[in-house]
Amino acid sequence: AQSVTQLGSHVSVSEGALVLLRCNYSSSVPPYLFWYVQYPNQGLQLLLKYTSAATLVKGINGFEAEFKKSETSFHLTKPSAHMSDAAEYFCAVSVRGGKLIFGQGTELSVKP
Amino acid sequence: ETGVTQTPRHLVMGMTNKKSLKCEQHLGHNAMYWYKQSAKKPLELMFVYSLEERVENNSVPSRFSPECPNSSHLFLHLHTLQPEDSALYLCASSQEVGSTEAFFGQGTRLTVV
């Protein structure tokens, strides 16, 4: 079975500061990993995904994530936060032919 | 525009009412899903359909009844709900069950009074 844990239900950064949202996964077979973003009163939008190609994955809006098998992690980063990045972020894991399993989400606040 | 459209966006219903949520996808996908998103909880997968056949039902109470008349449409029929059923209900689709990417609708915000 797969699972994913997001460390920190709420992260607050200043505008222009580094964004780091943490995600650790558990899977007995090679996983697919995803980050989704949810703006208020909206559905989920895919930011980026890892599907066993390059371990450093670049997504939309300047976000990227690195798959580290040894650490079972898939942390999301952005060098410089923007006010428009304020949203809830979900890490998710799946395997070939399996369903998406979501973490509990991390709410990102960006202070001016 | 995500290609997955949910209606209505907001719904308030009494515990004795019957209502339905609708989801439509224009992406040619074969798999569709219902998720429940409650405050402070992970997204809960409720139902999975593949080519109009239900392939997963995650111990969802019978007061939630899904229907998939074709691969483009998915409904969630609601009756005699409880206040704790208030949540954001999200529909998603993917090319196949287990595909590497799912596309989500904007959700229906349901309030049970």
Side-chain angles (χ1 to χ4, degrees):
Chain A
Q2 294 75 44
S3 66
V4 63
T5 301
Q6 292 182 240
L7 302 176
S9 59
H10 187 262
V11 170
S12 181
V13 301
S14 298
E15 193 173 18
L18 171 72
V19 175
L20 171 61
L21 304 182
R22 299 177 186 273
C23 173
N24 288 90
Y25 71 90
S26 173
S27 177
S28 56
V29 297
Y32 300 143
L33 293 159
F34 309 82
W35 276 99
Y36 283 84
V37 61
Q38 185 179 33
Y39 298 101
N41 299 312
Q42 299 291 319
L44 276 68
Q45 179 184 1
L46 183 68
L47 269 180
L48 49 79
K49 61 181 178 181
Y50 166 77
T51 56
S52 75
T55 56
L56 181 62
V57 181
K58 294 187 184 299
I60 61 172
N61 302 337
F63 284 93
E64 63 181 38
E66 186 172 8
F67 172 67
K68 292 187 176 181
K69 185 178 179 180
S70 60
E71 299 177 9
T72 61
S73 68
F74 190 59
H75 301 332
L76 181 70
T77 61
K78 182 174 180 177
S80 177
H82 191 273
M83 296 297 291
S84 61
D85 295 326
E88 187 144 21
Y89 292 80
F90 293 91
C91 183
V93 63
S94 73
V95 297
R96 181 181 293 276
K99 60 188 180 185
L100 270 175
I101 306 295
F102 285 90
Q104 71 273 32
T106 297
E107 184 177 355
L108 175 66
S109 300
V110 182
K111 298 175 291 186
Chain B
E1 175 58 54
T2 65
V4 180
T5 305
Q6 290 186 243
T7 54
R9 292 291 311 278
H10 301 272
L11 177 63
V12 179
M13 61 185 288
M15 288 189 284
T16 58
N17 291 159
K18 290 184 180 181
K19 296 286 184 183
S20 296
L21 310 184
K22 179 182 177 182
C23 176
E24 185 173 2
Q25 57 98 358
H26 311 279
L27 302 168
H29 289 166
N30 293 322
M32 295 188 76
Y33 312 80
W34 279 116
Y35 285 86
K36 177 183 179 182
Q37 186 179 27
S38 303
K40 310 300 181 187
K41 287 186 178 181
L43 272 76
E44 301 172 47
L45 179 62
M46 300 174 73
F47 301 104
V48 179
Y49 275 83
S50 175
L51 293 170
E52 306 138 48
E53 179 181 344
R54 191 189 311 178
V55 297
E56 187 160 341
N57 175 353
N58 286 329
S59 302
V60 179
S62 59
R63 57 186 183 270
F64 294 91
S65 175
E67 179 190 2
C68 189
N70 55 63
S71 59
S72 298
H73 293 85
L74 185 64
F75 295 88
L76 188 63
H77 304 300
L78 315 171
H79 64 98
T80 60
L81 294 192
Q82 304 298 312
E84 59 265 29
D85 297 322
S86 299
L88 182 68
Y89 288 84
L90 291 165
C91 174
S93 72
S94 63
Q95 188 61 54
E96 309 290 345
V97 174
S99 293
T100 59
E101 185 168 354
F103 294 80
F104 284 80
Q106 293 184 308
T108 296
R109 173 69 62 188
L110 174 67
T111 303
V112 180
V113 297

